[in-house]
Amino acid sequence: MLNLNNILPQLDQLEIEVPSWAYGNSGTRFKVFPQKGTPRDAFEKISDAAQVNAVTGLVPTVALHIPWDTVDDYAALAAHAQSLGVKLGTINSNTFQDEDYKFGSLAHPDERVRRKAIEHNVACIDIMDVTGSRDLKIWLADGTNYPGQDDIRGRQERLADSLAQIYAHLSDAQRIVLEYKFFEPAFYHTDVPDWGTSLLHCIAMGPKAMVCLDTGHHAPGTNIEFIVAQLLRVGRLGSFDFNSRFYADDDLMVGAADPFQLFRILYEVVRGGGYPNASVALMLDQCHNIENHIAGQIRSVLNVQEMLARALLVDPEALAAAQKACDPLAANEVFMDAFYTDVRPGLAQWRVSKGLPADPMAAFWASGYQERIEAERIGGVQASWT
Ligand code: PSV
Ligand code: MN
């Protein structure tokens, strides 16, 4: 029998960053569904994220998306976060929602548009200087829809040049994490479609550039844990955007569709020295279209904790022995023993030992917070991902 008590202390270092946009309304291209109590500004989003931390103890930082979370005074936003026991984390730039970016941003054929996109990213670094954030996350909607629409090779050169210009503005303590996505919104070709392309651009930029792996950004059937192993091997896995998918970039609660995949990914994270390791940021990138925003985040954070606990339970000696003996059945059994171990009662005890509620979800619903925000946040414009 695997003993959870042996690995519980290793869970103390788990930190999960939540996205500010998870607390706003979201939907599909068919409909955005508003929820009662939805935040109206970045301050209220931080307050909601702090509730997730209050009941789980796992969420010390909140990622911002600019311009969705633009405020006049970022120091005041940071102080607000601090007063609620959290900090501001990764700054996400946004070069996909402006008319000018119809044909791309950092890879756009027009120098004027590229300059605008570069300057936006530099402005995000200026915000990081105030908030104390380490990472600038760049995800690009750049690509083409039709063969021949633009010069694929030329776009790569322009992208490399733009990224180099942004990189030059980083301080020694700051990083760029470059996210890839295999399709959408461009469908013929995407300028950063895969981990290899992201890695090549990161290498060209320099050591402060790392790859961001969004678990929803691969073709069905892709072995994501292999990518994790490979990027950790070369020291370039900077962060995760965790979410769950059935078909495309579904942005569902992480671990919802395939908890076994999350387990396998987290096993490779542990195996490759990615946990505990502050240089690998474990972030969520999700939207809650039909479930309550805050509760959806609590569920996601707990799913990561549960699958990490199971990954830590894999017996390294037994596994190494079975692998060395070329015994696939025994090796697979070691993996499955860990995966099938129900860690939930042990994690409840761990929480109580930390002064946290044994059942975070129940504690959130009992706290009265949801009722309070539903009563207080009437009027104003609810935040949304668009
Ligand atoms: C793009 O699909 C993405 O995964 C990027 O991380 C964005 O910043 C995020 O979603 C929010 O749209
Ligand atoms: Mn993402």
Side-chain angles (χ1 to χ4, degrees):
M1 272 287 281
L2 297 169
N3 188 349
L4 185 66
N5 287 327
N6 295 341
I7 61 99
L8 280 179
Q10 295 178 56
L11 288 175
D12 288 357
Q13 288 150 81
L14 178 58
E15 297 186 344
I16 301 167
E17 183 162 307
V18 292
S20 68
W21 54 99
Y23 306 92
N25 290 323
S26 64
T28 65
R29 62 203 167 89
F30 301 101
K31 167 81 180 148
V32 170
F33 294 104
Q35 293 189 17
K36 285 185 185 156
T38 291
R40 294 159 300 181
D41 58 29
F43 285 84
E44 292 181 347
K45 290 183 203 172
I46 301 291
S47 302
D48 289 3
Q51 295 305 307
V52 182
N53 187 45
V55 293
T56 64
L58 296 173
V59 177
T61 54
V62 187
L64 299 183
H65 216 298
I66 306 297
W68 298 341
D69 296 319
T70 301
V71 291
D72 293 336
D73 185 347
Y74 288 96
L77 188 65
H80 171 69
Q82 194 99 42
S83 75
L84 297 171
V86 292
K87 287 184 175 166
L88 303 181
T90 302
I91 301 294
N92 289 253
S93 62
N94 180 330
T95 55
F96 48 88
Q97 284 183 312
D98 191 289
E99 278 299 311
D100 272 337
Y101 301 136
K102 186 169 173 180
F103 294 102
S105 60
L106 297 181
H108 197 286
D110 184 343
E111 211 273 326
R112 181 191 67 81
V113 178
R114 290 203 301 281
R115 174 103 341 257
K116 175 173 168 166
I118 292 166
E119 278 167 11
H120 167 68
N121 278 283
V122 172
C124 287
I125 296 174
D126 293 342
I127 293 171
M128 289 159 64
D129 292 339
V130 179
T131 58
S133 306
R134 178 188 61 179
D135 292 344
L136 169 67
K137 192 173 92 196
I138 300 180
W139 172 72
L140 301 169
D142 290 47
T144 61
N145 271 359
Y146 298 102
Q149 178 188 323
D150 194 7
D151 180 30
I152 291 176
R153 166 76 185 259
R155 290 183 73 92
Q156 286 298 308
E157 307 303 346
R158 300 193 290 261
L159 174 58
D161 178 67
S162 299
L163 288 171
Q165 292 191 50
I166 299 165
Y167 185 87
H169 288 266
L170 294 175
S171 75
D172 286 347
Q174 293 171 337
R175 313 187 305 178
I176 283 175
V177 288
L178 181 61
E179 186 173 351
Y180 60 91
K181 182 173 179 176
F182 76 124
F183 86 118
E184 194 191 42
F187 293 107
Y188 168 59
H189 106 277
T190 294
D191 289 311
V192 189
D194 51 33
W195 66 272
T197 305
S198 174
L199 179 61
L200 285 177
H201 282 290
C202 287
I203 291 169
M205 276 187 272
K208 292 179 289 186
M210 312 277 274
V211 178
C212 171
L213 187 161
D214 185 311
T215 49
H217 288 188
H218 308 85
T222 301
N223 183 331
I224 297 176
E225 54 270 31
F226 172 82
I227 301 170
V228 171
Q230 188 70 291
L231 289 174
L232 282 171
R233 213 185 127 244
V234 295
R236 291 285 184 156
L237 180 62
S239 57
F240 281 95
D241 269 4
F242 279 124
N243 51 54
S244 164
R245 71 192 285 276
F246 288 102
Y247 297 104
D249 188 24
D250 305 353
D251 281 336
L252 300 175
M253 294 185 293
V254 58
D258 188 350
F260 184 43
Q261 183 192 51
L262 180 59
F263 163 83
R264 300 192 312 264
I265 289 171
L266 287 169
Y267 171 76
E268 287 304 332
V269 170
V270 173
R271 165 69 183 86
Y275 178 86
N277 181 344
S279 71
V280 180
L282 306 177
M283 303 188 291
L284 305 182
D285 176 11
Q286 298 178 174
C287 295
H288 303 292
N289 300 350
I290 56 171
E291 63 275 18
N292 175 277
H293 304 140
I294 300 172
Q297 287 284 285
I298 294 170
R299 175 78 275 144
S300 305
V301 163
L302 295 179
N303 283 352
V304 174
Q305 187 188 36
E306 283 174 23
M307 289 306 141
L308 177 65
R310 292 180 187 208
L312 289 166
L313 272 178
V314 173
D315 180 343
E317 278 100 45
L319 185 62
Q323 290 173 343
K324 194 158 180 231
C326 293
D327 185 342
L329 289 176
N332 182 244
E333 201 172 307
V334 172
F335 249 60
M336 301 319 286
D337 278 349
F339 176 65
Y340 281 122
T341 303
D342 187 358
V343 296
R344 290 173 297 181
L347 290 179
Q349 278 173 21
W350 175 88
R351 277 181 209 111
V352 172
S353 78
K354 305 277 171 202
L356 293 162
D359 182 345
M361 193 67 91
F364 167 66
W365 289 122
S367 71
Y369 183 83
Q370 184 64 33
E371 288 84 348
R372 210 169 72 235
I373 57 175
E374 287 184 18
E376 282 172 9
R377 296 179 185 170
I378 292 172
V381 180
Q382 293 194 330
S384 163
W385 68 280
T386 48

